[in-house]
Amino acid sequence: VAPDRVTVSTVLNVPASGTVTASLHPFTVKLGLLRSSVVVCNTLLDAYCKHGLLAAGMRVFQEMPHRDSVTYNAMMMGCSKEGLHREALGLFTDMRRAGLDASQFTFSSMLTVATGMGDLHLGRQVHGLVARATSVHNVFVKNSLLDFYSKCDCLAEMEKLFDEMPERDNVSYNVMISGYAWNRCASRALRLFREMQILCFDRQALPYASLLSVAGSLPHIGIGKQIHAQLVLLGLSSEDLAGNALIDMYSKCGMLDAAKTNFLNKNDKTGVSWTAMITGYVQNGQLEEALRLFCDMRRAGLSPDRATFSSIIKASSSLAMIGLGRQLHSYTIRSGHISSVFSGSALLDMYAKCGCLDEALQTFDEMPERNSISWNAVISAYAHYGQAKNAIKVFEGMLHYGFKPDSVTFLSVLSACSHNGLAEECMKYFELMEDEYGISPWKGHYACVIDTLGRVGRFDKVQKMLSVMPFEDDPIIWSSILHSCRIHGNQDLARVAAEKLFSMGSTDATPYVILSNIYAKAGKWEDAARVKKIMRNRGLRKESGYSWVEVKQKIYSFSSNDQTNPMISEMKEELERLYKEMDKQGYKPDTSCALHQVDDDLKLESLKYHSERLAIAFALINTPLGRPIRVMKNLSACLDCHAAIKMMSKIVNRDIIVRDSSRFHHFKDGVCSCGDYW
């Protein structure tokens, strides 16, 4: 009995692999159904698109003698699913020209495209079309609009649409709560969650994962444990989505043992589960554990996805292991994830943090697709290299290409202005953020402005900014003020800032050290000793300074005047050789950087073997001539080391890149990229 179009369409609709769909294709041709039945063509095209075989689907589309709205919808959904947003937009335009009516699926696909492109204008145009189309005023399309506004951070429009919806379902509430969770609006998310419980929605379908995300982002372990308890009562705690959300929540709340327990208790560990645990280790600074788990994941036969690569690349950037980062770059290419905007952005960030700005910029230039995260990463890279003008230029380019800046974008731009002391530009972009884009400043934005004003000595404006800031001041802001006082020798305000920090119960010894150093630099040794005594009485210790350098994919660490390295004699000889040459070229050590009440000879001796100088000497001995040297340091470099490394770069004719606790210094031919301002 010869199958007809109904039979073939039914078989094509059976969930199967792409191979099965491809094997049925010639059968439909043989029966002559591709020429005679648009229904069979649509079903075949849809099957190809659902299995990710977009090229095959496009061939069917192009060979069809007749097309209807279902044809275009299937093709548009396939393109939007694969991230081919401009192709989907072109199909929508062709569909409109053909006079075909748009359906709920058309609008849903277009809203997915608008979200993927970050095109708020396009999404609003689609909303206008939905409002005029009388046949699609249903909850499905309204939920798609809610999702679009949510993912574009348009909370006001999302809330207005939700309030006006005559009908809401479980998806409506889930989208709203997810949007609030993403934008850290914890109270609104919890209010809607309670409303869902009062309205007696199915408890099995409540957005527990989104609430766990809220608990993790706050972080608020109390809320997280309450949601966990509900999941246990409902028997849902081991389900994939909830189980992964629990791992993520406990990791963000700093409870890695609980996260690991939930990970180990999962019977079926998916790639998402492994990625959640790897990300947890990265977030909590356990980078070696993250790398070890990544290797275990590969041994378990699971393929890393773009999120896994993003996390593990972040681990290599935090460790500043450029060799490992380049290996991961190669692995990303082999795995087919190099075209992912997430992997590309992570690689860009990795190269920037490892002191390879040129490779970071090359990665950005080669990205086939960019989003706001990519642009933010470039702006942030320039900011950390003290290149504010380039950061601002990239920001303008981001606007030119239609990308909407977000809070993170402005934070990077303000940070760049701060690193270069561009007070006017800093205030300009701070005001632009709220006036032009309606973005309410975070405490971090205020901290950047205060830091910039302090760095240029505008302490009157610092006081004014503190008075109008709608947040409680915190240790970060007062630490910034204290650092500015160190630059300008403002002892009176330094004392106020230090007292503020002491009263906040901070366990960080840094403010004590800075205040003591300010007094020492001014020759007030008794005051310096008094501050150090208070620090000791409170059981606080100054963080030891150390530097590290990667040679042949191995990390070597050094502390000041380190005697433990077996090559210490050769390193000191190399430094002495450099000092003789530097002396000929007029180098004079700045003994004010040796903040101890000792004679000048001892001060000079203490400066000679600071940790970054030992790291540079080790790299000079163990790397080929001409190769750039990249040194990482946990504290800020002192003025004398900065001056010394400038001269070293000229003498050895090498680029020397030093990353300290706040930024990068690129030394080349006796000049630093920071312009001697940091």
mmCIF file of all heavy atoms in Angstrom, residues 77-110:
data_model
loop_
_atom_site.group_PDB
_atom_site.id
_atom_site.type_symbol
_atom_site.label_atom_id
_atom_site.label_comp_id
_atom_site.label_asym_id
_atom_site.label_seq_id
_atom_site.Cartn_x
_atom_site.Cartn_y
_atom_site.Cartn_z
ATOM 1 N N MET A 77 12.515 29.709 12.870
ATOM 2 C CA MET A 77 12.776 29.110 14.181
ATOM 3 C C MET A 77 14.096 28.350 14.174
ATOM 4 O O MET A 77 14.860 28.389 15.143
ATOM 5 C CB MET A 77 11.624 28.182 14.583
ATOM 6 C CG MET A 77 10.353 28.936 14.951
ATOM 7 S SD MET A 77 8.959 27.859 15.328
ATOM 8 C CE MET A 77 9.419 27.276 16.946
ATOM 9 N N GLY A 78 14.385 27.660 13.040
ATOM 10 C CA GLY A 78 15.651 26.945 12.918
ATOM 11 C C GLY A 78 16.840 27.887 12.959
ATOM 12 O O GLY A 78 17.827 27.644 13.649
ATOM 13 N N CYS A 79 16.733 29.010 12.220
ATOM 14 C CA CYS A 79 17.829 29.986 12.182
ATOM 15 C C CYS A 79 18.032 30.650 13.539
ATOM 16 O O CYS A 79 19.162 30.805 14.005
ATOM 17 C CB CYS A 79 17.541 31.050 11.124
ATOM 18 S SG CYS A 79 17.716 30.454 9.421
ATOM 19 N N SER A 80 16.929 31.051 14.187
ATOM 20 C CA SER A 80 17.048 31.729 15.483
ATOM 21 C C SER A 80 17.610 30.787 16.539
ATOM 22 O O SER A 80 18.398 31.198 17.401
ATOM 23 C CB SER A 80 15.698 32.287 15.936
ATOM 24 O OG SER A 80 14.744 31.254 16.106
ATOM 25 N N LYS A 81 17.257 29.502 16.450
ATOM 26 C CA LYS A 81 17.775 28.510 17.399
ATOM 27 C C LYS A 81 19.283 28.353 17.271
ATOM 28 O O LYS A 81 19.993 28.148 18.262
ATOM 29 C CB LYS A 81 17.079 27.165 17.149
ATOM 30 C CG LYS A 81 17.510 26.045 18.088
ATOM 31 C CD LYS A 81 16.800 24.751 17.731
ATOM 32 C CE LYS A 81 17.340 23.582 18.551
ATOM 33 N NZ LYS A 81 16.725 22.294 18.141
ATOM 34 N N GLU A 82 19.792 28.443 16.030
ATOM 35 C CA GLU A 82 21.227 28.285 15.782
ATOM 36 C C GLU A 82 22.000 29.607 15.885
ATOM 37 O O GLU A 82 23.189 29.657 15.605
ATOM 38 C CB GLU A 82 21.450 27.677 14.389
ATOM 39 C CG GLU A 82 20.925 26.262 14.232
ATOM 40 C CD GLU A 82 21.619 25.263 15.157
ATOM 41 O OE1 GLU A 82 22.850 25.344 15.283
ATOM 42 O OE2 GLU A 82 20.922 24.431 15.759
ATOM 43 N N GLY A 83 21.304 30.679 16.281
ATOM 44 C CA GLY A 83 21.971 31.966 16.445
ATOM 45 C C GLY A 83 22.188 32.723 15.154
ATOM 46 O O GLY A 83 22.916 33.711 15.135
ATOM 47 N N LEU A 84 21.554 32.275 14.052
ATOM 48 C CA LEU A 84 21.684 32.977 12.763
ATOM 49 C C LEU A 84 20.593 34.043 12.687
ATOM 50 O O LEU A 84 19.604 33.933 11.950
ATOM 51 C CB LEU A 84 21.576 31.983 11.604
ATOM 52 C CG LEU A 84 22.634 30.876 11.607
ATOM 53 C CD1 LEU A 84 22.340 29.845 10.521
ATOM 54 C CD2 LEU A 84 24.027 31.476 11.389
ATOM 55 N N HIS A 85 20.779 35.104 13.474
ATOM 56 C CA HIS A 85 19.705 36.078 13.677
ATOM 57 C C HIS A 85 19.414 36.902 12.427
ATOM 58 O O HIS A 85 18.250 37.157 12.104
ATOM 59 C CB HIS A 85 20.075 36.994 14.846
ATOM 60 C CG HIS A 85 20.364 36.240 16.108
ATOM 61 N ND1 HIS A 85 19.478 35.328 16.650
ATOM 62 C CD2 HIS A 85 21.447 36.255 16.937
ATOM 63 C CE1 HIS A 85 19.997 34.824 17.759
ATOM 64 N NE2 HIS A 85 21.185 35.357 17.947
ATOM 65 N N ARG A 86 20.458 37.313 11.716
ATOM 66 C CA ARG A 86 20.234 38.152 10.535
ATOM 67 C C ARG A 86 19.554 37.356 9.419
ATOM 68 O O ARG A 86 18.739 37.897 8.671
ATOM 69 C CB ARG A 86 21.557 38.743 10.047
ATOM 70 C CG ARG A 86 22.211 39.629 11.111
ATOM 71 C CD ARG A 86 23.233 40.587 10.553
ATOM 72 N NE ARG A 86 23.821 41.383 11.613
ATOM 73 C CZ ARG A 86 23.269 42.456 12.148
ATOM 74 N NH1 ARG A 86 22.099 42.874 11.694
ATOM 75 N NH2 ARG A 86 23.862 43.127 13.113
ATOM 76 N N GLU A 87 19.900 36.062 9.314
ATOM 77 C CA GLU A 87 19.234 35.205 8.323
ATOM 78 C C GLU A 87 17.745 35.071 8.650
ATOM 79 O O GLU A 87 16.882 35.129 7.756
ATOM 80 C CB GLU A 87 19.884 33.818 8.294
ATOM 81 C CG GLU A 87 21.283 33.784 7.689
ATOM 82 C CD GLU A 87 22.373 34.222 8.655
ATOM 83 O OE1 GLU A 87 22.027 34.706 9.746
ATOM 84 O OE2 GLU A 87 23.555 34.069 8.307
ATOM 85 N N ALA A 88 17.431 34.899 9.943
ATOM 86 C CA ALA A 88 16.028 34.792 10.355
ATOM 87 C C ALA A 88 15.280 36.086 10.060
ATOM 88 O O ALA A 88 14.122 36.068 9.608
ATOM 89 C CB ALA A 88 15.952 34.460 11.844
ATOM 90 N N LEU A 89 15.954 37.222 10.294
ATOM 91 C CA LEU A 89 15.332 38.521 10.028
ATOM 92 C C LEU A 89 15.054 38.700 8.538
ATOM 93 O O LEU A 89 14.009 39.232 8.141
ATOM 94 C CB LEU A 89 16.254 39.628 10.541
ATOM 95 C CG LEU A 89 15.701 41.049 10.584
ATOM 96 C CD1 LEU A 89 14.441 41.124 11.417
ATOM 97 C CD2 LEU A 89 16.758 42.003 11.142
ATOM 98 N N GLY A 90 15.989 38.220 7.690
ATOM 99 C CA GLY A 90 15.779 38.280 6.244
ATOM 100 C C GLY A 90 14.583 37.448 5.802
ATOM 101 O O GLY A 90 13.797 37.862 4.935
ATOM 102 N N LEU A 91 14.417 36.268 6.409
ATOM 103 C CA LEU A 91 13.261 35.416 6.094
ATOM 104 C C LEU A 91 11.949 36.088 6.485
ATOM 105 O O LEU A 91 10.937 35.996 5.776
ATOM 106 C CB LEU A 91 13.396 34.073 6.825
ATOM 107 C CG LEU A 91 14.456 33.119 6.278
ATOM 108 C CD1 LEU A 91 14.757 32.023 7.301
ATOM 109 C CD2 LEU A 91 13.987 32.490 4.961
ATOM 110 N N PHE A 92 11.967 36.778 7.644
ATOM 111 C CA PHE A 92 10.760 37.487 8.095
ATOM 112 C C PHE A 92 10.387 38.579 7.091
ATOM 113 O O PHE A 92 9.205 38.765 6.753
ATOM 114 C CB PHE A 92 11.013 38.080 9.485
ATOM 115 C CG PHE A 92 9.870 38.894 10.013
ATOM 116 C CD1 PHE A 92 8.667 38.299 10.363
ATOM 117 C CD2 PHE A 92 9.993 40.271 10.171
ATOM 118 C CE1 PHE A 92 7.604 39.047 10.855
ATOM 119 C CE2 PHE A 92 8.943 41.032 10.658
ATOM 120 C CZ PHE A 92 7.749 40.415 11.006
ATOM 121 N N THR A 93 11.410 39.300 6.595
ATOM 122 C CA THR A 93 11.167 40.354 5.604
ATOM 123 C C THR A 93 10.573 39.759 4.325
ATOM 124 O O THR A 93 9.612 40.297 3.753
ATOM 125 C CB THR A 93 12.484 41.091 5.278
ATOM 126 O OG1 THR A 93 13.058 41.574 6.490
ATOM 127 C CG2 THR A 93 12.247 42.252 4.343
ATOM 128 N N ASP A 94 11.145 38.616 3.870
ATOM 129 C CA ASP A 94 10.628 37.952 2.659
ATOM 130 C C ASP A 94 9.188 37.491 2.866
ATOM 131 O O ASP A 94 8.353 37.576 1.952
ATOM 132 C CB ASP A 94 11.501 36.739 2.307
ATOM 133 C CG ASP A 94 12.896 37.150 1.859
ATOM 134 O OD1 ASP A 94 13.085 38.334 1.520
ATOM 135 O OD2 ASP A 94 13.795 36.282 1.872
ATOM 136 N N MET A 95 8.895 37.004 4.038
ATOM 137 C CA MET A 95 7.539 36.533 4.356
ATOM 138 C C MET A 95 6.538 37.687 4.289
ATOM 139 O O MET A 95 5.433 37.542 3.747
ATOM 140 C CB MET A 95 7.549 35.911 5.752
ATOM 141 C CG MET A 95 6.205 35.403 6.223
ATOM 142 S SD MET A 95 6.336 34.752 7.915
ATOM 143 C CE MET A 95 4.616 34.352 8.219
ATOM 144 N N ARG A 96 6.940 38.840 4.833
ATOM 145 C CA ARG A 96 6.056 40.014 4.803
ATOM 146 C C ARG A 96 5.829 40.481 3.364
ATOM 147 O O ARG A 96 4.709 40.838 2.990
ATOM 148 C CB ARG A 96 6.696 41.151 5.613
ATOM 149 C CG ARG A 96 6.905 40.834 7.082
ATOM 150 C CD ARG A 96 5.682 41.085 7.916
ATOM 151 N NE ARG A 96 5.366 42.488 7.996
ATOM 152 C CZ ARG A 96 4.224 42.972 8.494
ATOM 153 N NH1 ARG A 96 3.304 42.131 8.935
ATOM 154 N NH2 ARG A 96 3.988 44.268 8.538
ATOM 155 N N ARG A 97 6.904 40.435 2.552
ATOM 156 C CA ARG A 97 6.762 40.851 1.143
ATOM 157 C C ARG A 97 5.837 39.918 0.380
ATOM 158 O O ARG A 97 5.157 40.322 -0.556
ATOM 159 C CB ARG A 97 8.139 40.871 0.477
ATOM 160 C CG ARG A 97 9.006 42.056 0.895
ATOM 161 C CD ARG A 97 10.318 42.043 0.163
ATOM 162 N NE ARG A 97 11.204 43.112 0.635
ATOM 163 C CZ ARG A 97 12.501 42.989 0.784
ATOM 164 N NH1 ARG A 97 13.088 41.831 0.496
ATOM 165 N NH2 ARG A 97 13.233 44.006 1.216
ATOM 166 N N ALA A 98 5.852 38.625 0.770
ATOM 167 C CA ALA A 98 4.992 37.642 0.097
ATOM 168 C C ALA A 98 3.534 37.762 0.527
ATOM 169 O O ALA A 98 2.664 37.041 -0.003
ATOM 170 C CB ALA A 98 5.503 36.237 0.385
ATOM 171 N N GLY A 99 3.250 38.649 1.456
ATOM 172 C CA GLY A 99 1.873 38.876 1.887
ATOM 173 C C GLY A 99 1.316 37.795 2.800
ATOM 174 O O GLY A 99 0.097 37.692 2.960
ATOM 175 N N LEU A 100 2.179 37.013 3.419
ATOM 176 C CA LEU A 100 1.722 35.934 4.304
ATOM 177 C C LEU A 100 1.503 36.471 5.716
ATOM 178 O O LEU A 100 2.242 37.325 6.195
ATOM 179 C CB LEU A 100 2.766 34.806 4.334
ATOM 180 C CG LEU A 100 3.025 34.114 2.990
ATOM 181 C CD1 LEU A 100 4.247 33.200 3.084
ATOM 182 C CD2 LEU A 100 1.795 33.301 2.571
ATOM 183 N N ASP A 101 0.475 35.954 6.368
ATOM 184 C CA ASP A 101 0.143 36.414 7.716
ATOM 185 C C ASP A 101 1.109 35.831 8.744
ATOM 186 O O ASP A 101 1.464 34.647 8.691
ATOM 187 C CB ASP A 101 -1.293 35.996 8.088
ATOM 188 C CG ASP A 101 -2.330 36.754 7.267
ATOM 189 O OD1 ASP A 101 -2.031 37.897 6.875
ATOM 190 O OD2 ASP A 101 -3.423 36.200 7.022
ATOM 191 N N ALA A 102 1.498 36.675 9.678
ATOM 192 C CA ALA A 102 2.350 36.220 10.780
ATOM 193 C C ALA A 102 1.503 35.530 11.838
ATOM 194 O O ALA A 102 0.361 35.919 12.085
ATOM 195 C CB ALA A 102 3.078 37.410 11.396
ATOM 196 N N SER A 103 2.064 34.491 12.434
ATOM 197 C CA SER A 103 1.365 33.753 13.492
ATOM 198 C C SER A 103 2.095 33.950 14.808
ATOM 199 O O SER A 103 3.105 34.647 14.886
ATOM 200 C CB SER A 103 1.318 32.260 13.150
ATOM 201 O OG SER A 103 2.621 31.705 13.234
ATOM 202 N N GLN A 104 1.621 33.295 15.849
ATOM 203 C CA GLN A 104 2.285 33.387 17.148
ATOM 204 C C GLN A 104 3.713 32.852 17.086
ATOM 205 O O GLN A 104 4.616 33.357 17.763
ATOM 206 C CB GLN A 104 1.485 32.627 18.202
ATOM 207 C CG GLN A 104 1.307 31.136 17.906
ATOM 208 C CD GLN A 104 0.434 30.466 18.960
ATOM 209 O OE1 GLN A 104 -0.247 31.124 19.721
ATOM 210 N NE2 GLN A 104 0.454 29.141 18.996
ATOM 211 N N PHE A 105 3.942 31.856 16.231
ATOM 212 C CA PHE A 105 5.293 31.290 16.098
ATOM 213 C C PHE A 105 6.236 32.272 15.387
ATOM 214 O O PHE A 105 7.431 32.329 15.690
ATOM 215 C CB PHE A 105 5.235 29.958 15.349
ATOM 216 C CG PHE A 105 4.359 28.937 16.024
ATOM 217 C CD1 PHE A 105 3.131 28.596 15.482
ATOM 218 C CD2 PHE A 105 4.745 28.346 17.215
ATOM 219 C CE1 PHE A 105 2.315 27.673 16.105
ATOM 220 C CE2 PHE A 105 3.942 27.418 17.851
ATOM 221 C CZ PHE A 105 2.719 27.084 17.301
ATOM 222 N N THR A 106 5.672 33.038 14.427
ATOM 223 C CA THR A 106 6.463 34.061 13.739
ATOM 224 C C THR A 106 6.971 35.089 14.734
ATOM 225 O O THR A 106 8.158 35.410 14.786
ATOM 226 C CB THR A 106 5.614 34.781 12.674
ATOM 227 O OG1 THR A 106 4.869 33.840 11.917
ATOM 228 C CG2 THR A 106 6.491 35.623 11.752
ATOM 229 N N PHE A 107 6.047 35.605 15.528
ATOM 230 C CA PHE A 107 6.418 36.646 16.491
ATOM 231 C C PHE A 107 7.378 36.108 17.549
ATOM 232 O O PHE A 107 8.303 36.803 17.972
ATOM 233 C CB PHE A 107 5.163 37.218 17.149
ATOM 234 C CG PHE A 107 4.292 37.994 16.194
ATOM 235 C CD1 PHE A 107 2.943 37.715 16.064
ATOM 236 C CD2 PHE A 107 4.833 39.015 15.419
ATOM 237 C CE1 PHE A 107 2.148 38.425 15.187
ATOM 238 C CE2 PHE A 107 4.039 39.730 14.530
ATOM 239 C CZ PHE A 107 2.693 39.441 14.410
ATOM 240 N N SER A 108 7.177 34.870 17.973
ATOM 241 C CA SER A 108 8.067 34.267 18.964
ATOM 242 C C SER A 108 9.491 34.163 18.413
ATOM 243 O O SER A 108 10.465 34.474 19.114
ATOM 244 C CB SER A 108 7.555 32.881 19.361
ATOM 245 O OG SER A 108 8.420 32.276 20.285
ATOM 246 N N SER A 109 9.604 33.737 17.135
ATOM 247 C CA SER A 109 10.931 33.629 16.509
ATOM 248 C C SER A 109 11.600 34.990 16.393
ATOM 249 O O SER A 109 12.799 35.144 16.658
ATOM 250 C CB SER A 109 10.814 32.995 15.120
ATOM 251 O OG SER A 109 10.387 31.666 15.204
ATOM 252 N N MET A 110 10.826 35.999 15.986
ATOM 253 C CA MET A 110 11.387 37.340 15.830
ATOM 254 C C MET A 110 11.828 37.939 17.165
ATOM 255 O O MET A 110 12.824 38.660 17.244
ATOM 256 C CB MET A 110 10.369 38.266 15.155
ATOM 257 C CG MET A 110 10.257 38.084 13.659
ATOM 258 S SD MET A 110 11.858 38.383 12.818
ATOM 259 C CE MET A 110 12.487 36.724 12.672
#
